[in-house]
Amino acid sequence: MQHRYKNNLGLWGWLGGGRYGADRYAYALHRLSGLGILAYFLMHIFVTGTRVDGPEAWESAMHFFENPLFRLGEFLVFLAFLYHAVNGIRLVLVELGLLVGKPGLPSYPYSHSVIRQRPVLVVAMVITAVLVLFAGADFLFLTK
Amino acid sequence: MSTSKESGKMKTIVFEVLRYDPEKGGTPHLQEFTVPLHKGMTVLDGLHWIKEHEDPTLTWRSSCRMGICGSCGMFINGLPRLACTNQITHLHSDRVVIKPLPNFDIIRDLVPDLESLFDRHRSVKPYLIRRDRIEQNSPTREYFQSSEELVNYIQFAYCIKCGLCLSACPTVATSEDYTGPQALTQGWRYLADTRDEGTEEHSEELYSKHGVYRCHFAGACSQVCPKGVDPAMAIQLAKQAAFLKSMGLCKDKPGAPVTPPIDNWVSEKEIPKPPEPTVARES
Ligand code: HEM
Ligand code: SF4
Ligand code: FES
C-alpha cells in the first residue's frame, strides 16, 4: 500500500510571505486589512443600531466606547483603511494591466511585471506612511 | 568514497533533505548529509553525490540537468527552485535545506505528484484551435503571423511545466480549485496568438470562477519562474482584455489567414549546393 503525503501549505501558505517579495506581504496585508474593516463595519452597524432603542441606549453605548482601548482600536481600523484604500488603487491599476509592461522576447537576465510595478508599490507605501503620520498626530494631539 | 584525510582538507556543506517513505506513511522528516563541495557544484550534483556515496534510496526526479525539462523543481532554502540551475555557493548559506515542492502531494522523498499541474494545464485547452480542421490537420501552407505578433505570446510559450509558480502561489496554497498561474498563462498564450480561433474554448476556464479573477497579484509566481515566463503579467493581461471587451473597446479579431501561394516566385539562382558527402553511402 502506497501512501501519498498531502503537502498543501493551507492557511500559512497565504498568510506567510516567507522569502518571497514585498508584493506577497502586501497581498496578505490587503486581505487582512479588508477583513478587519469589514469586521469593524459590521460592529459599527450593530452599535449605531442602538439609536433605534432610544437616546438612552445610544448614550450608554457611546459611553461604553469612550475607553482609550477602543480609541486605539478605532485608530487601528483607520490605519487598516488607509493601507487598504491606497494599496487598493495600486491593485486596480495593476489588475487592469496598466503597470505590468509588455511581453517581450525572453532573454537573460529576465525581468518581470512584478519588478516593473514595484516603484508604484513603494510610492503607495510612502503615501500611506505620510497619511498615517497625519492620522497619528490627529489621534495624539487634536482629539480629546 | 573520500578518505577522512581528504575530507579534512576539503570544503564541505551540510545537506538537509526531506525523506518520506510511501510504504510506511507517517510524517516526513529531515535527514542530514555532509557533502564535499567543489567549484560550480549545483544542488542537483549534491543530491547525486549523496545517492552515490551515502544513501542509494534517496529519490528525486530530474533529467536534463540544464533547466529545460522542468522535472527537478524543489523547495530549496525557502524558495521553489530548479535543483540543476542553482549552484550551492550562490545560495550563500552553509546549509542546503531541500524539501519537495509544496502544494503538491509527496510521492516519495523529493518527488512531488505533478498530476494536478497537468490537470490544470489541460483545462485551458492549451493548443491551437482552428475552425477549419481539415486545413489544420493537413496544412497546405503556414498561417500568417508577423514577428511583432509573435512577441505577444512567445515568452509565455517558454513554460517548462516545472510547477515552481504553483508552489509559490498563496492562492493555490488554500484552493485546489484555482486554475493557477501556470495554466492561466497557457490559456492567455493561446488567446494572444493571432493564429488561434478558439477564444471561446480557452476562455471557458480562464474566465470561470476559478480563473484569472482569483489572482490578487501576490507576484510570487513571476519571482520564482526559472524561464522568465512571468505568469503574473499574463493573468493581468487576460483581465485587461476581458475588461476592454466588456466596455466594447476591443473586439475579437478573426484568426490569421493561411498565407496565399506567392505567384511568380523565382528561386534564387545563387543558392549554394550542399557539400559532397565525406562518408561513402551504403549501397
Ligand atoms: C477607498 C476604499 C477602498 C478601496 C480603493 C478598496 C480596494 C479594494 C480592491 C482593489 C480589492 C481587490 C484586491 C485584489 O483583487 O487583490 C479589495 C478587496 C477587499 N476589500 Fe477593499 N477597498 C476599499 C474599501 C474597503 C472597505 C471599506 C472594506 C470593508 C468593509 C473592504 C473590504 C475588502 C475585502 C474583505 C476585500 C477582499 C480581500 C481579498 O480577497 O484579498 N474594502 N479592496
Ligand atoms: S510558468 Fe514558469 S514557474 Fe510556472 S510552470 Fe511554467 S516555467 Fe515553471
Ligand atoms: S533536470 Fe531538467 S530542469 Fe533541472
Side-chain angles (χ1 to χ4, degrees):
Chain A
M1 174 68 188
Q2 304 262 320
H3 303 269
R4 291 286 159 90
Y5 187 77
K6 271 229 120 357
N7 196 25
N8 267 55
L9 290 177
L11 213 56
W12 181 242
W14 80 255
L15 190 61
R19 295 190 61 189
Y20 301 102
D23 305 81
R24 207 166 180 289
Y25 286 87
Y27 159 96
L29 209 55
H30 193 85
R31 188 166 282 182
L32 285 178
S33 58
L35 291 175
I37 318 167
L38 187 63
Y40 169 80
F41 191 56
L42 294 177
M43 287 194 291
H44 183 66
I45 292 173
F46 178 75
V47 171
T48 47
T50 57
R51 186 61 187 83
V52 177
D53 299 333
E56 298 79 32
W58 169 254
E59 285 301 330
S60 80
M62 284 300 99
H63 187 69
F64 180 70
F65 287 111
E66 258 165 32
N67 175 330
L69 212 65
F70 284 111
R71 304 279 312 148
L72 185 71
E74 265 181 355
F75 180 64
L76 290 181
V77 168
F78 188 63
L79 294 196
F81 174 76
L82 283 179
Y83 171 80
H84 189 92
V86 177
N87 191 51
I89 294 167
R90 172 186 72 101
L91 285 174
V92 168
L93 297 176
V94 167
E95 291 184 31
L96 283 175
L98 291 179
L99 305 169
V100 295
K102 282 201 178 110
L105 291 173
S107 53
Y108 206 76
Y110 304 125
S111 169
H112 55 79
S113 58
V114 182
I115 292 181
R116 275 180 229 127
Q117 61 82 50
R118 186 64 60 71
V120 185
L121 175 67
V122 174
V123 169
M125 290 308 101
V126 170
I127 294 174
T128 309
V130 170
L131 292 175
V132 165
L133 286 181
F134 275 110
D138 178 73
F139 173 70
L140 287 176
F141 307 119
L142 299 181
T143 47
K144 157 326 322 217
Chain B
M1 184 73 99
S2 60
T3 66
S4 58
K5 198 172 126 227
E6 265 172 10
S7 62
K9 272 187 285 172
M10 214 183 282
K11 259 194 162 172
T12 59
I13 184 124
V14 177
F15 268 56
E16 278 186 67
V17 186
L18 201 84
R19 304 302 303 270
Y20 175 73
D21 182 349
E23 259 101 57
K24 297 208 189 90
T27 350
H29 64 280
L30 283 168
Q31 187 179 358
E32 270 192 28
F33 298 97
T34 307
V35 177
L37 186 65
H38 59 78
K39 200 167 168 234
M41 190 173 177
T42 64
V43 173
L44 185 62
D45 294 335
L47 290 174
H48 276 298
W49 189 91
I50 296 172
K51 197 171 176 76
E52 257 169 55
H53 298 91
E54 297 274 341
D55 187 347
T57 67
L58 180 64
T59 311
W60 70 88
R61 198 191 275 130
S62 68
S63 174
C64 70
R65 53 100 186 95
M66 52 188 275
I68 202 63
C69 71
S71 35
C72 70
M74 299 173 192
F75 198 67
I76 301 166
N77 284 14
L79 284 176
R81 318 180 210 230
L82 297 181
C84 66
T85 57
N86 280 278
Q87 292 190 20
I88 294 168
T89 48
H90 293 179
L91 297 173
H92 302 293
S93 164
D94 50 8
R95 267 172 189 271
V96 183
V97 184
I98 313 177
K99 297 175 184 173
L101 285 181
N103 299 339
F104 296 105
D105 293 357
I106 305 175
I107 295 179
R108 176 192 291 271
D109 294 347
L110 300 173
V111 185
D113 182 357
L114 296 181
E115 202 51 46
S116 61
L117 181 155
F118 297 121
D119 286 343
R120 286 168 152 122
H121 183 59
R122 271 183 217 108
S123 74
V124 298
K125 307 203 169 77
Y127 37 81
L128 208 67
I129 297 174
R130 295 286 293 192
R131 294 290 155 243
D132 187 347
R133 298 293 296 275
I134 298 168
E135 171 66 29
Q136 186 177 15
N137 290 338
S138 35
T140 50
R141 295 186 74 85
E142 70 269 30
Y143 300 126
F144 179 81
Q145 185 166 66
S146 71
S147 43
E148 289 79 17
E149 289 166 340
L150 176 82
V151 174
N152 285 337
Y153 71 85
I154 191 70
Q155 86 172 75
F156 307 129
Y158 271 60
C159 172
I160 56 173
K161 286 102 199 153
C162 61
L164 301 196
C165 52
L166 289 157
S167 272
C169 176
T171 305
V172 173
T174 48
S175 165
E176 293 185 17
D177 300 331
Y178 176 41
T179 315
Q182 187 277 331
L184 290 175
T185 303
Q186 294 319 301
W188 175 250
R189 174 242 173 281
Y190 285 95
L191 287 193
D193 189 330
T194 50
R195 300 167 301 171
D196 190 79
E197 293 176 335
T199 306
E200 221 171 276
E201 286 90 334
H202 306 302
S203 297
E204 202 181 315
E205 178 71 17
L206 212 61
Y207 298 114
S208 77
K209 64 177 184 185
H210 307 304
V212 290
Y213 300 111
R214 296 206 58 189
C215 164
H216 302 284
F217 206 73
C221 52
S222 296
Q223 190 196 337
V224 300
C225 177
K227 303 308 283 183
V229 170
D230 199 352
M233 180 208 262
I235 296 171
Q236 311 325 309
L237 292 180
K239 290 180 191 170
Q240 181 185 54
F243 174 75
L244 292 178
K245 217 156 119 181
S246 72
M247 303 303 271
L249 293 172
C250 93
K251 272 194 226 124
D252 287 335
K253 293 199 190 86
V258 175
T259 49
I262 306 164
D263 296 333
N264 37 7
W265 178 78
V266 229
S267 137
E268 279 219 36
K269 297 202 177 65
E270 302 307 311
I271 294 177
K273 293 252 149 20
E276 288 302 309
T278 51
V279 183
R281 287 229 180 91
E282 273 174 55
S283 53

